[in-house]
Amino acid sequence: MRRLAGQLKAGKLVVKLYLRHPLHAKLYLLYRGDPINPIIGFLGSSNLTLSGLSSQGELNLDVLDHDAANKLVRWFEERWKDHWCVDITEELIQVIGESWAREEVLPPYQIYVKMAYHLAQEARAGLSEFRIPAEFGRRLFAYQVAAVKIAAHHLNKRGGVLIGDVVGLGKTLMATALAKIFQDDSFTETLILCPKNLVKMWEEYVAQYRLLAKVVSITQAGRELPELRRYRVVLIDESQNLRNREGKRYRAIQEYIQENESKCILLSATPYNKTYLDLSSQLRLFIPEDEELGIRPEKLIRELGETEFIRRHQCPVRSLAAFEKSTNADDWRELMRLYMVRRTRSFIQENYAATDPATGRRFLTFENGERSYFPERIPRTVKFRIDERDPGDQYARLYAPDVVAAINGLNLPRYGLGNYVAATPHKAPTPAEAKQLQDLSRAGKRLMGFCRTNLFKRLESSGEAFQQSIERHILRNDIFLHAIGNGLPLPLGTQDSGLLDAGNYDEDVDDEAAGAELFENDNGEKNGPPRRTVKLRNAADFKRRAAEVYAAYSTQFKSRFKWLRPDLFVKSLATDLGADAASLLRVLDRCGDWEPKNDAKLDALHKLLTKDHPTEKIIVFTQFADTVRYLAKQLRDRGVQRMAGVTGDDEDPTGYAWRFSPLSNNKREQVAADAELRVLLATDVLSEGQNLQDSAIIVNFDLPWAIIRLVQRAGRVDRIGQKSERILCYSFLPADGVENLIRLRARVRQRLHENAEVVGTDEAFFEDECERQKLLDLYNEKAGILDGDAETEVDLASYAYQIWKNAIDRFPEWQKTIPALPPVVFSTRAHAATEKKPHGALVYMRTAQGNDALAWVDKDGNNVTESQFEILRAAECGPETTALPRQASHHELVRKAVDFIVAEEKSVGGQLGRPSGARFRTYERLKRYADLVKGTLFDTAQLAKAIEEIYRFPLRQSATDTLNRQLRAGITDEKLAELVMALRDEDRLCLVEEDGQSSEPQIICSLGLSPGELPKS
């Protein structure tokens, strides 16, 4: 191409375009210095192309006769000089000069931006399709406007979206704007489902922005939704709590959304913890498991092969059910780019925040011109002493090896009742009892792991909470023993592991008065007994109290429980119940009564509140409601004022949030000075969804077993509108270091492993070096440990769009030139290779089926990855990046990448159906046969095309009948291949539906990664 351009520029070649009428003739005139035969003409069917001149079996005639040749010359000259024959030489020079074959080397940054431009297609579509409602004025920051419009595109196109921005970026306001867009454009009304502690807050947003909406607590969903009229949009706040798809509440919400064909908006800062099934459970609320998604888990299918995948998993390959079989991050990124909008704090700071020239701090600007700076999170440690040599040290007694061994040695039969079911009871169970027994067996040891870790968590939280749990556990065991001893039905506790997860539920499920989550009646009213604080310390007291409680359970509170006859269980149930009760009673005797006046942690907290920060607002977080109640009473007794404790059992947690943080909640005029709070004690019920940024100090009185919860707590005060430059994050840890904690959790982990017990998805036992280091960094107050962004990532559409937007903000003319860059453009830049990120080429192409695909191949043409995220990150460079000379193998590498993508590309129509069906069986056998005969005379193009058509298109009914008969008759692979090719030749094989003309794959752009010299930093 460059040689052609050079010849055009030198005047050696002139190109004209004949426009008078269509001209289909092919004439070649050759002039030579031969006086006898100076002109030779070639006339025929060959086009002036490589294939036309060399390989298509064309027919041409040479014209040697002098007179005939001159007549051809005159014919040519008449058209060459015709008024409608236009010289396009200069235009062709320009086209080549702007094409991939240009002499000028294209900057690598332009290739990077072009990749981002195409990957941001959905984001760009959303930004152009939707407008922000007038009610929001300039309330939304630019990053929020972008998120709302991108989310609107997903919601409109796919019926659902998950807004997953990290804590503190304003998801509530964004979701309100999104619902309002659909209210204005499509006249929809919105049903808002949220945790009960956020109902009041959502009602405020509904009123403020004139949203046509109804707010319902998720705890009431099972009762209200079956009778509720249709709402065309359903908004679910804190949707990560809907992970248990077997629960009644989950099924009620799922059925409502699907029956009413409602669009679904999900909000969650932590859409998944350690398993991708958390994501799929949320997506299943609005996506049926077998619905065609148009994409498939490519990494998993490549590992197994499609035929083996379908045989093993029995589900459509382009369905949510198929993705649930994959544990590969790239597969889930590919899926979630269609449904999720997620940005991090660091992303917002880098791309949307301005920089204060005086301080260097980043900030956003409110509509009134006021600045909102991004504060720095400062970890601090509050150390309390544990003296193992002092027999009077309460915490030393709690952490003693015999106490830890006692908890590890518990049988926990009430949480593993399925393991005690009698194989042949004297009296067979009724159908209802059989169903309950089946549920118990299904639970297995799942609940035992939660119970065991909860006891250790409460031990770490506070001595009071731990001892209360021990007392309640003994009492519940004795209630069972009372029932067994008297032949009375057993009152079964919760079988929902979610209510044993301290991250979801802050009460002790063994408490007689555990709250609404467990014991609400059909009217949403609590019907449990009042909370008791009477301490029990000997076996006789426990037995007497057990008889009293059983009498109340079996009469006044009978509807709270499911009941089963004791003779349905083996005798070892009573033995293990008694053994656990006796072991825990010895623990109580060993530890003695908890004395608040000798509580070293409480003393340290009191000092922090009254000496270190006597006037500042402080929020103290703990995992357990019992610890909140204990701290509230003790601190109040010590004279701490303007303080309140909030748990999940409180009716109005939002009211406490407003009293503690009136400015950030716009409640300054409604909260009187004497009602305003300075200290707020709270469980994680307030670590979700509340504005608490009037404070800049948080205290972690106990340490969650997942560091991410500390990050979420910090996010409650590190929010848009925070005035302080620093967020102080205090964590209580033993003064002698964290090794005791690490050893304790290691013993717990070992016991759980030995018993095959299951724990929550976000439990961390610090068994690997990374987790241990996090705890050590927290203890040593290392900066950045609580920032939380490093382990999260932005959704692909937002990430790519921001690259594009930053580029056109800097180079406005690129808004036209980048999209106008011709196909096949390329550049090369220096790359620091690693084992997993080698030299080679990045290729972006559009397949024949119109799908965008990327590939990274190494210098030998081997595939590295097709992850769009990884490839876009590998392409990253700046405007200053120097273009290197093209690698000699660049175009060959691009060809190999294209071949790989084309080989992997399958039509969206490629559904083979059931493994027992004719189509699946025929395809499977022919693929095997084709592999067997590869490279032989039987390896024909006709066979390959037949196999491809069977994959891409449905069989004709007559072909299905014929193939079924032959397969039943035991046809050989060779005869089957002959039959299929014959059916195809007669157009009796598949229903081939081509949408227009078949298209060729198109190379959008490519970027070479060369070992050339990297720019100096």
Side-chain angles (χ1 to χ4, degrees):
M1 291 292 286
R2 290 175 178 172
R3 188 183 306 164
L4 172 61
Q7 292 171 345
L8 291 169
K9 292 176 183 177
K12 294 179 179 180
L13 181 65
V14 178
V15 180
K16 287 190 174 186
L17 181 63
Y18 187 77
L19 298 174
R20 183 173 289 279
H21 55 74
L23 189 61
H24 194 59
K26 285 91 173 178
L27 171 62
Y28 301 88
L29 293 171
L30 279 69
Y31 293 81
R32 59 182 188 167
D34 185 343
I36 299 174
N37 197 2
I39 302 173
I40 298 177
F42 289 94
L43 196 63
S45 62
S46 287
N47 288 314
L48 185 58
T49 62
L50 181 62
S51 57
L53 295 176
S54 64
S55 62
Q56 290 192 166
E58 307 284 354
L59 178 62
N60 298 287
L61 177 69
D62 58 342
V63 180
L64 303 174
D65 180 77
H66 189 71
D67 181 60
N70 281 326
K71 287 179 179 178
L72 290 176
V73 169
R74 286 196 297 273
W75 180 90
F76 179 84
E77 290 294 333
E78 287 172 2
R79 283 148 185 79
W80 183 261
K81 296 176 181 178
D82 190 288
H83 177 70
W84 293 102
C85 189
V86 181
D87 188 341
I88 60 168
T89 304
E90 291 300 322
E91 287 80 0
L92 188 54
I93 292 171
Q94 181 180 350
V95 168
I96 295 174
E98 294 175 354
S99 76
W100 62 272
R102 67 179 70 193
E103 290 282 352
E104 173 196 359
V105 180
L106 205 65
Y109 183 59
Q110 289 194 13
I111 299 296
Y112 174 53
V113 173
K114 185 170 179 64
M115 286 183 175
Y117 168 80
H118 287 282
L119 288 173
Q121 179 180 353
E122 294 217 343
R124 291 184 289 105
L127 289 161
S128 63
E129 290 171 1
F130 298 96
R131 62 176 182 81
I132 300 298
E135 286 86 349
F136 292 84
R138 294 173 57 197
R139 285 289 310 277
L140 295 175
F141 293 109
Y143 77 87
Q144 293 174 319
V145 170
V148 169
K149 291 184 176 183
I150 295 170
H153 176 80
H154 290 330
L155 187 63
N156 186 57
K157 185 174 182 178
R158 300 185 180 92
V161 66
L162 195 162
I163 300 178
D165 281 5
V166 299
V167 174
L169 296 183
K171 290 185 296 297
T172 305
L173 185 61
M174 288 187 269
T176 306
L178 179 57
K180 185 68 172 177
I181 285 175
F182 280 79
Q183 176 178 308
D184 290 352
D185 293 356
S186 304
F187 308 103
T188 61
E189 294 177 295
T190 302
L191 172 64
I192 300 172
L193 300 173
C194 63
K196 67 174 186 177
N197 57 297
L198 299 180
V199 168
K200 191 172 180 180
M201 180 199 73
W202 271 108
E203 289 173 344
E204 286 276 319
Y205 274 85
V206 168
Q208 182 176 355
Y209 294 103
R210 297 187 292 176
L211 197 61
L212 300 176
K214 177 180 178 66
V215 183
V216 175
S217 165
I218 284 182
T219 57
Q220 301 299 309
R223 182 176 65 85
E224 292 199 24
L225 262 56
E227 306 300 325
L228 199 62
R229 67 177 178 85
R230 183 190 185 199
Y231 285 83
R232 290 167 57 199
V233 173
V234 174
L235 190 160
I236 304 175
D237 198 2
E238 305 298 346
S239 62
Q240 78 278 356
N241 293 323
L242 293 173
R243 293 174 180 144
N244 178 18
R245 64 183 70 163
E246 302 301 324
K248 292 181 180 179
R249 183 181 305 158
Y250 181 97
R251 291 199 297 270
I253 295 172
Q254 182 185 50
E255 288 170 5
Y256 180 87
I257 291 171
Q258 296 185 359
E259 288 175 4
N260 290 285
E261 298 180 341
S262 304
K263 295 184 182 298
C264 189
I265 304 169
L266 305 176
L267 301 185
S268 175
T270 53
Y272 72 97
N273 285 334
K274 288 187 177 178
T275 168
Y276 293 116
L277 292 180
D278 294 340
L279 282 174
S280 69
S281 292
Q282 294 168 75
L283 294 180
R284 273 177 179 253
L285 290 169
F286 62 92
I287 304 175
E289 66 173 352
D290 57 352
E291 181 174 285
E292 165 68 44
L293 299 179
I295 59 171
R296 62 186 196 171
E298 294 291 350
K299 290 283 187 182
L300 176 62
I301 289 175
R302 190 170 306 129
E303 291 171 7
L304 298 179
E306 182 171 346
T307 303
E308 177 60 23
F309 174 88
I310 296 176
R311 186 206 310 280
R312 184 180 299 184
H313 298 299
Q314 301 282 305
C315 65
V317 295
R318 292 178 173 84
S319 66
L320 189 55
F323 277 90
E324 289 177 346
K325 309 303 184 293
S326 176
T327 57
N328 190 285
D330 285 344
D331 284 340
W332 284 92
R333 286 191 189 104
E334 180 70 6
L335 174 65
M336 295 312 297
R337 72 179 176 85
L338 304 180
Y339 296 99
M340 184 164 73
V341 178
R342 178 175 176 81
R343 285 86 48 79
T344 62
R345 297 183 70 79
S346 59
F347 178 82
I348 301 305
Q349 290 184 55
E350 291 167 8
N351 294 288
Y352 288 93
T355 302
D356 188 330
T359 63
R361 294 179 62 203
R362 297 291 189 95
F363 66 89
L364 298 171
T365 305
F366 286 112
E367 60 181 333
N368 62 1
E370 186 179 344
R371 292 179 175 181
S372 174
Y373 286 89
F374 288 89
E376 181 184 5
R377 297 180 183 180
I378 308 295
R380 290 283 185 266
T381 300
V382 181
K383 298 179 173 67
F384 62 97
R385 184 161 298 283
I386 300 176
D387 189 351
E388 296 177 357
R389 296 166 299 181
D390 180 1
D393 190 311
Q394 296 188 106
Y395 282 99
R397 293 200 298 265
L398 284 184
Y399 286 90
D402 54 344
V403 173
V404 175
I407 298 174
N408 263 337
L410 294 176
N411 299 295
L412 305 175
R414 287 187 295 108
Y415 294 94
L417 283 172
N419 303 310
Y420 295 86
V421 176
T424 54
H426 178 69
K427 180 182 177 183
T430 66
E433 289 173 332
K435 173 67 168 60
Q436 289 187 49
L437 291 172
Q438 185 179 12
D439 291 342
L440 291 176
S441 297
R442 190 181 300 117
K445 297 184 177 182
R446 177 182 56 183
L447 303 181
M448 296 168 68
F450 279 99
C451 178
R452 198 180 306 279
T453 53
N454 263 351
L455 287 172
F456 279 106
K457 287 179 180 179
R458 296 175 78 86
L459 183 154
E460 291 182 10
S461 179
S462 70
E464 181 75 8
F466 176 65
Q467 290 196 355
Q468 288 178 5
S469 288
I470 297 298
E471 292 173 21
R472 292 165 186 156
H473 199 100
I474 297 171
L475 181 60
R476 281 296 180 97
N477 278 14
D478 279 358
I479 290 170
F480 262 50
L481 289 169
H482 173 81
I484 292 171
N486 292 280
L488 300 172
L490 301 175
L492 303 188
T494 179
Q495 299 299 307
D496 184 353
S497 60
L499 297 179
L500 292 170
D501 187 344
N504 298 332
Y505 186 63
D506 59 7
E507 295 287 356
D508 185 351
V509 294
D510 279 341
D511 186 0
E512 297 173 48
E517 289 280 351
L518 286 175
F519 305 127
E520 282 183 355
N521 62 23
D522 290 339
N523 297 317
E525 299 170 351
K526 299 174 194 173
N527 63 349
R531 180 167 283 105
R532 301 175 65 93
T533 56
V534 178
K535 291 185 181 294
L536 304 172
R537 282 296 179 272
N538 60 65
D541 289 343
F542 276 108
K543 285 182 172 54
R544 184 178 63 256
R545 178 63 187 151
E548 296 171 0
V549 174
Y550 185 89
Y553 282 1
S554 60
T555 53
Q556 185 180 357
F557 306 114
K558 188 173 184 177
S559 61
R560 279 178 34 175
F561 301 96
K562 294 179 180 178
W563 300 81
L564 280 176
R565 305 192 320 265
D567 59 305
L568 294 172
F569 299 92
V570 295
K571 294 185 182 300
S572 60
L573 173 61
T575 303
D576 288 349
L577 285 166
D580 279 6
S583 177
L584 291 176
L585 196 55
R586 287 194 293 273
V587 169
L588 285 180
D589 291 340
R590 164 85 166 73
C591 294
D593 288 342
W594 189 257
E595 297 291 345
K597 66 177 183 296
N598 297 324
D599 187 338
K601 278 181 76 176
L602 177 62
D603 291 343
L605 177 62
H606 182 252
K607 176 180 178 296
L608 185 73
L609 298 178
T610 59
K611 305 291 186 185
D612 300 337
H613 300 285
T615 60
E616 295 101 321
K617 285 179 179 281
I618 301 175
I619 179 166
V620 181
F621 280 114
T622 174
Q623 297 174 88
F624 300 106
D626 287 323
T627 301
V628 168
R629 288 187 281 267
Y630 167 70
L631 293 178
K633 180 181 185 308
Q634 298 305 322
L635 291 172
R636 197 171 287 115
D637 289 348
R638 296 186 181 201
V640 177
Q641 298 179 342
R642 296 171 58 203
M643 175 189 68
V646 186
T647 72
D649 203 35
D650 284 293
E651 289 297 327
D652 186 18
T654 300
Y656 285 105
W658 290 354
R659 289 174 59 195
F660 178 73
S661 191
L663 288 176
S664 59
N665 287 288
N666 296 317
K667 301 297 177 185
R668 178 68 282 173
E669 295 181 0
Q670 297 172 240
V671 176
D674 58 350
E676 187 173 351
L677 300 173
R678 184 182 78 85
V679 178
L680 192 63
L681 310 170
T683 62
D684 286 307
V685 70
L686 278 190
S687 70
E688 296 177 340
Q690 300 285 4
N691 290 315
L692 302 171
Q693 58 266 40
D694 286 13
S695 169
I697 302 174
I698 68 164
V699 177
N700 299 299
F701 188 73
D702 49 30
L703 190 66
W705 284 27
I707 297 294
I708 185 62
R709 292 207 178 271
L710 297 182
V711 176
Q712 292 167 348
R713 290 173 176 178
R716 287 298 109 220
V717 297
D718 185 0
R719 303 171 72 82
I720 302 300
Q722 173 60 254
K723 307 291 187 185
S724 177
E725 293 186 15
R726 303 190 308 166
I727 304 293
L728 297 181
C729 305
Y730 287 96
S731 297
F732 275 75
L733 287 168
D736 59 350
V738 295
E739 289 304 321
N740 278 337
L741 282 182
I742 292 173
R743 284 196 296 271
L744 182 149
R745 295 186 187 185
R747 291 197 291 272
V748 180
R749 176 175 56 85
Q750 181 178 356
R751 174 64 173 173
L752 294 173
H753 180 72
E754 290 170 355
N755 288 7
E757 295 172 5
V758 182
V759 296
T761 56
D762 58 352
E763 308 295 18
F765 294 95
F766 305 106
E767 65 265 33
D768 59 48
E769 193 60 35
C770 178
E771 293 292 343
R772 289 168 61 91
Q773 190 59 48
K774 286 180 182 177
L775 196 56
L776 290 169
D777 288 346
L778 191 66
Y779 181 80
N780 294 319
E781 302 181 350
K782 181 180 178 181
I785 183 65
L786 297 177
D787 289 348
D789 273 5
E791 297 178 359
T792 63
E793 60 184 28
V794 179
D795 71 281
L796 180 60
S798 297
Y799 182 67
Y801 171 74
Q802 204 57 51
I803 295 168
W804 164 246
K805 184 178 184 301
N806 291 346
I808 61 176
D809 285 348
R810 185 169 181 178
F811 307 105
E813 67 278 10
W814 283 17
Q815 195 152 359
K816 292 183 178 179
T817 57
I818 293 296
L821 285 174
V824 199
V825 290
F826 66 89
S827 186
T828 304
R829 71 168 179 82
H831 172 65
T834 64
E835 182 181 354
K836 293 186 178 180
K837 299 180 179 180
H839 297 125
L842 312 175
V843 179
Y844 192 140
M845 67 172 286
R846 185 159 293 126
T847 67
Q849 283 74 32
N851 299 319
D852 284 9
L854 287 85
W856 181 348
V857 293
D858 65 18
K859 59 184 177 59
D860 298 317
N862 300 313
N863 183 53
V864 177
T865 182
E866 294 158 75
S867 165
Q868 297 184 355
F869 243 122
E870 290 300 316
I871 292 173
L872 188 57
R873 284 172 174 161
E876 184 177 358
C877 56
E880 72 288 346
T881 303
T882 304
L884 297 181
R886 172 175 59 85
Q887 300 176 93
S889 60
H890 180 85
H891 292 315
E892 178 62 19
L893 294 179
V894 171
R895 183 189 66 78
K896 289 183 177 180
V898 170
D899 288 345
F900 177 81
I901 292 172
V902 169
E904 291 295 321
E905 169 71 10
K906 301 294 184 181
S907 164
V908 172
Q911 300 289 337
L912 293 171
R914 294 175 294 107
S916 59
R919 186 178 175 195
F920 184 95
R921 293 164 65 200
T922 301
Y923 177 82
E924 180 186 19
R925 288 183 57 178
L926 291 184
K927 285 284 285 183
R928 186 174 63 233
Y929 176 71
D931 290 339
L932 187 66
V933 301
K934 190 172 184 179
T936 70
L937 292 173
F938 299 100
D939 182 12
T940 63
Q942 289 90 336
L943 176 61
K945 290 179 180 177
I947 294 172
E948 177 68 12
E949 282 191 12
I950 292 173
Y951 179 84
R952 294 181 60 191
F953 305 109
L955 294 175
R956 293 182 183 274
Q957 187 58 50
S958 59
T960 301
D961 295 340
T962 300
L963 290 169
N964 271 327
R965 283 196 304 273
Q966 295 299 326
L967 290 167
R968 283 196 298 268
I971 189 172
T972 66
D973 288 350
E974 182 180 353
K975 292 296 183 184
L976 180 62
E978 292 176 1
L979 172 62
V980 166
M981 288 189 287
L983 290 172
R984 181 177 178 275
D985 288 343
E986 298 168 8
D987 196 23
R988 294 194 296 121
L989 181 63
C990 294
L991 289 165
V992 179
E993 298 177 0
E994 297 286 1
D995 294 331
Q997 297 181 346
S998 62
S999 59
E1000 292 292 326
Q1002 184 183 52
I1003 300 170
I1004 303 295
C1005 59
S1006 60
L1007 181 65
L1009 302 179
S1010 168
E1013 185 178 350
L1014 289 167
K1016 295 180 180 179
S1017 57

